[in-house]
Amino acid sequence: MWQGMKSVMLFDPKDSQAETERKWLEWNDHKSAVQDKAVPNAEQTQAYLRKYDTA
C-alpha cells in the first residue's frame, strides 16, 4: 500500500530504540521527497490509506 510513497515511515512497536533512530535518520536523508509536489498532503494520504485499511 505504501509503495512509491517516499515520505511514509513505518514503525513497529517491536522496533528497538536504535532501529527507530535508524529509520528517522534514513528518512531525514531522503526528506527532500516531502517537498515534492507529487507527495500527497495529510488529507490525501489519510484517504489513500483508508482505501487499504483491512482492520
Side-chain angles (χ1 to χ4, degrees):
M1 101 179 125
W2 58 85
Q3 289 81 359
M5 295 179 71
K6 296 178 183 178
S7 65
V8 173
M9 289 194 310
L10 297 176
F11 293 98
D12 189 322
K14 297 176 188 171
D15 285 348
S16 67
Q17 182 67 31
E19 179 67 9
T20 299
E21 290 173 7
R22 184 198 62 77
K23 288 180 180 182
W24 276 112
L25 290 171
E26 183 179 308
W27 176 81
N28 195 42
D29 287 343
H30 299 96
K31 72 178 178 183
S32 63
V34 174
Q35 298 170 358
D36 188 346
K37 291 180 182 178
V39 175
N41 64 28
E43 292 82 19
Q44 292 168 324
T45 300
Q46 290 169 356
Y48 177 83
L49 293 175
R50 272 194 294 276
K51 288 194 300 188
Y52 297 97
D53 185 18
T54 59

